[in-house]
Amino acid sequence: MEQHDKKIVLFPKWKEKIEARAFQALRNKRFEEALENLNTLLDYQVSNQEIDIAKLTCLIELGRQREAELLCEELLTKKDDHYFAYVHIYATLLFQANKYEGVAELIEDVFEDENTIPEPYLSQLTTLRSLNSTLLKQQTDQQLTVTLKQLKEAVEKQDDVMQWHLVNHLNDSDISLYNSIFLEMLKDEEVNPIVKTVIISLLQANTYDELIEIVKFSDKMYINPNDFPYMTDHPFYQKIKKELETLEQDNPSLHALADQLLYRYFFVVYPFINEDMDISLLKEAIIYLVSASFMDEEALNQTKIKESLALYIEDLLYYEKVYFSLMKE
């Protein structure tokens, strides 16, 4: 229904008549009819808590969950005397829809200033908070169990793309359930090295404090994730980044491409960092490759490359291929 000009108001008798029709329809569970009349009132800027709650009731009864949620959010922004009533209704609405994470976010936000919550809302929200916490944990545990099963299947099928999506799905999760399969995947030559890098970062984020074995490209090493530097914090990575900073002022576009190439290279090889590499040659190889994207074939063919530099270029190209073999999916 179109919004009427705010200057136009309903005559009191018409307002009373439409209100009466709306609430009579609501009592008789004719929710579509009630909603139509309530919207007419709202179009004429006739609004109060009773009308807002009535509209919310209609939306819920008609199964229009998303509209009901949006209305709750709109009512919360009013920050009026009925704020905590709206919080309780919204939290209950989300809870009944099994949106436990949304309930937790809403209630925790309100409980940051618990002393301002009046009764009976404090008791009601405290009870809902406790129950929601239990169900949220159950829901999260169920999701993690399903993901674990899917990950095991993806490893068995050597499905790199599915493994990639599943391990990335675990950010901000308690991964203790996955420790065993992660340790096996890190030793498995068939698991994509990029997936292994994500697993290492998950173990680091969860402060896994034991020695682990990692195999990449037939090389093996042992690290403790809890005290091993994150990929982008690694001193060697930082050294090369600093070397590339000289490009930033002269050619920002080239610098951005060089920075991305460096990141992709480390993402593939980490934590196998050969600190004996010649930083100047690695920098030169990176700049050559990103510059090549702006050069025509004739210019490229005329460019002479010394053998030592060619080896670094070859390595970078190989690891680029490994990176995009998964990322292009």
Side-chain angles (χ1 to χ4, degrees), residues 143-144 147 150 164-173 178:
Q143 289 171 346
L144 290 174
T147 303
Q150 292 172 330
W164 163 256
H165 287 302
L166 290 170
V167 295
N168 273 290
H169 178 67
L170 296 171
N171 284 322
D172 303 319
S173 299
Y178 294 81

Side-chain angles (χ1 to χ4, degrees), residues 47-269:
S47 177
N48 55 46
Q49 189 201 23
E50 194 175 15
I51 290 173
D52 290 333
I53 297 298
K55 178 174 180 177
L56 195 51
T57 301
C58 290
L59 292 173
I60 293 169
E61 292 294 338
L62 291 169
R64 290 156 70 166
Q65 175 77 19
R66 184 56 187 152
E67 289 177 70
E69 290 178 15
L70 289 172
L71 178 55
C72 283
E73 290 169 11
E74 181 185 327
L75 295 174
L76 286 175
T77 62
K78 292 183 177 182
K79 295 280 186 180
D80 59 17
D81 293 341
H82 309 295
Y83 175 75
F84 291 104
Y86 298 142
V87 168
H88 183 248
I89 293 169
Y90 190 22
T92 303
L93 178 65
L94 293 173
F95 183 81
Q96 290 173 345
N98 300 329
K99 296 184 176 182
Y100 305 126
E101 192 170 341
V103 177
E105 290 175 4
L106 175 63
I107 292 181
E108 293 310 316
D109 184 55
V110 173
F111 268 76
E112 283 183 4
D113 198 359
E114 186 175 341
N115 294 331
T116 65
I117 307 174
E119 291 291 359
Y121 302 115
L122 178 59
S123 299
Q124 292 170 343
L125 290 172
T126 299
T127 301
L128 185 57
R129 183 190 197 189
S130 175
L131 181 57
N132 185 75
S133 177
T134 301
L135 293 176
L136 176 59
K137 186 178 186 309
Q138 290 177 3
Q139 187 182 66
T140 303
D141 289 346
Q142 287 171 358
Q143 289 171 346
L144 290 174
T145 301
V146 170
T147 303
L148 177 60
K149 182 181 177 183
Q150 292 172 330
L151 183 57
K152 287 179 178 177
E153 291 174 356
V155 172
E156 289 173 7
K157 295 177 181 177
Q158 296 182 12
D159 187 337
D160 292 348
V161 176
M162 182 58 71
Q163 291 171 35
W164 163 256
H165 287 302
L166 290 170
V167 295
N168 273 290
H169 178 67
L170 296 171
N171 284 322
D172 303 319
S173 299
D174 176 4
I175 61 163
S176 53
L177 185 66
Y178 294 81
N179 286 345
S180 178
I181 190 171
F182 279 172
L183 297 182
E184 290 302 314
M185 290 174 72
L186 289 171
K187 295 185 289 185
D188 188 345
E189 278 276 22
E190 301 301 324
V191 173
N192 192 292
I194 299 175
V195 174
K196 292 182 180 182
T197 299
V198 179
I199 290 174
I200 295 167
S201 71
L202 287 172
L203 292 171
Q204 289 171 321
N206 282 263
T207 60
Y208 187 86
D209 195 15
E210 292 182 30
L211 209 60
I212 62 172
E213 178 185 331
I214 305 162
V215 177
K216 280 191 179 184
F217 305 106
S218 300
D219 287 332
K220 182 190 298 185
M221 73 180 293
Y222 296 86
I223 67 167
N224 182 327
N226 196 42
D227 57 29
F228 196 85
Y230 280 79
M231 187 195 90
T232 53
D233 292 333
H234 195 284
F236 197 71
Y237 179 84
Q238 288 296 323
K239 277 183 189 177
I240 303 170
K241 268 185 74 75
K242 191 163 184 64
E243 286 290 320
L244 291 171
E245 284 177 4
T246 55
L247 280 176
E248 194 165 11
Q249 285 189 342
D250 298 334
N251 194 328
S253 298
L254 199 67
H255 174 263
L257 291 172
D259 202 47
Q260 291 164 16
L261 177 55
L262 174 66
Y263 178 85
R264 293 193 295 268
Y265 167 69
F266 267 82
F267 207 103
V268 176
V269 301

Side-chain angles (χ1 to χ4, degrees), residues 160 192-194 217 261 264-265 268 289 313-329:
D160 292 348
N192 192 292
I194 299 175
F217 305 106
L261 177 55
R264 293 193 295 268
Y265 167 69
V268 176
L289 285 174
I313 292 172
E314 187 179 332
D315 268 0
L316 286 169
L317 287 172
Y318 173 74
Y319 293 122
E320 279 280 276
K321 190 180 294 185
V322 173
Y323 183 89
F324 284 109
S325 69
L326 179 58
M327 293 305 184
K328 71 181 180 182
E329 303 292 338

